[in-house]
Amino acid sequence: MELLINSETLEPINCPICDQDETTAVFIKDGLSVVECERCGLRYVNPRVNVQYLAANYIEDYYPREKIERLHTNAMEWLLMRERLSEIERRIGRRGRLLDVGCGIGTFLHLAQERGWETHGVDPSESGTAFAHEQYGLNVFCGDLFEANFPDRYFDAITLYHVLEHILQPNPLLDELRRILKPKTGHLVIEVPNGGSIQSRLQKENWPYVHPRDH
């Protein structure tokens, strides 16, 4: 979906990680400035599209019917999800209670449930979570992680696949993940685009993972 960018939809921010406002310009894409924090090195958009506009115009359009059908029938998508699950099982060595934050239409959780995991999911998309529940019978919550209000020290594994780059305030989210993950034995799995990769540094604003309107 094409978002209309103007002064009413943008908000200036400090660094979402260290709360400082000392930056170096990196590039401009789609009319938005990507900067790098001189304190902690985070690259972020400033000013960014505000959360109210994203919620009203972006989140629910993330899983239109044609995208759901494409993901559901895409063999490469299923292969990727199986590889992710196999990697987790190799590292953890056991099955337990699994939470997928940003679970989408539930493909990953469906595979995990078939392999004996107790699965839970969270996603803000009504269409995505509805498909996950109706197609696979999954236990998924439509909303954000804080609204789900899981118990302390509840999960053996928590996954966030290409979710963190969408989060406007990562520090509170990471605190909440720490609260609900079992201490010492729990595993947190986060996958994000590698902004420090050779491809990113060579391609800059043309790198395929640069989406400043929602990343």
Side-chain angles (χ1 to χ4, degrees):
M1 178 180 179
E2 187 70 19
L3 297 182
L4 177 63
I5 304 298
N6 56 44
S7 59
E8 295 182 358
T9 61
L10 296 178
E11 59 182 6
I13 60 167
N14 291 344
C15 174
I17 297 295
C18 68
D19 198 34
Q20 300 301 308
D21 188 23
E22 301 173 19
T23 61
T24 300
V26 179
F27 52 73
I28 295 175
K29 184 172 183 180
D30 298 336
L32 295 169
S33 298
V34 175
V35 301
E36 184 172 302
C37 178
E38 295 178 359
R39 293 287 188 92
C40 71
L42 179 73
R43 288 189 176 187
Y44 63 101
V45 180
N46 192 26
R48 70 183 179 193
V49 179
N50 64 51
V51 63
Q52 294 84 3
Y53 193 75
L54 280 176
N57 296 276
Y58 174 78
I59 291 176
E60 193 42 49
D61 288 317
Y62 197 76
Y63 287 106
R65 180 177 300 176
E66 60 272 16
K67 182 176 181 180
I68 289 176
E69 182 62 24
R70 185 175 71 252
L71 292 173
H72 178 53
T73 58
N74 189 311
M76 293 303 296
E77 177 76 7
W78 284 87
L79 177 61
L80 173 62
M81 298 303 171
R82 288 190 176 95
E83 289 178 345
R84 287 173 171 173
L85 182 59
S86 295
E87 178 69 14
I88 289 173
E89 291 180 343
R90 281 197 299 270
R91 290 180 178 271
I92 296 179
R94 67 185 190 283
R95 295 176 179 87
R97 188 177 290 129
L98 169 67
L99 169 66
D100 188 25
V101 180
C103 63
I105 66 172
T107 306
F108 175 73
L109 286 179
H110 170 59
L111 292 171
Q113 185 171 259
E114 285 191 326
R115 290 183 60 83
W117 289 84
E118 179 189 324
T119 58
H120 301 257
V122 173
D123 198 284
S125 169
E126 290 184 7
S127 57
T129 53
F131 184 90
H133 177 70
E134 295 166 8
Q135 180 73 24
Y136 302 125
L138 293 170
N139 181 12
V140 292
F141 177 81
C142 183
D144 65 33
L145 181 63
F146 301 96
E147 293 170 331
N149 195 30
F150 292 110
D152 293 348
R153 306 178 176 188
Y154 193 60
F155 291 103
D156 298 287
I158 302 176
T159 56
L160 295 89
Y161 292 110
H162 288 265
V163 170
L164 197 59
E165 66 269 26
H166 292 271
I167 302 300
L168 299 181
Q169 294 181 302
N171 287 347
L173 179 76
L174 292 169
D175 285 341
E176 180 68 359
L177 293 171
R178 182 179 182 181
R179 181 186 71 80
I180 63 177
L181 187 66
K182 291 182 179 179
K184 298 183 180 180
T185 61
H187 289 72
L188 176 63
V189 180
I190 297 176
E191 180 179 297
V192 295
N194 183 4
S197 67
I198 294 176
Q199 293 88 344
S200 170
R201 295 188 179 279
L202 289 176
Q203 295 179 287
K204 298 181 180 180
E205 69 272 17
N206 296 318
W207 190 44
Y209 289 103
V210 176
H211 303 289
R213 299 192 181 196
D214 64 285
H215 279 193

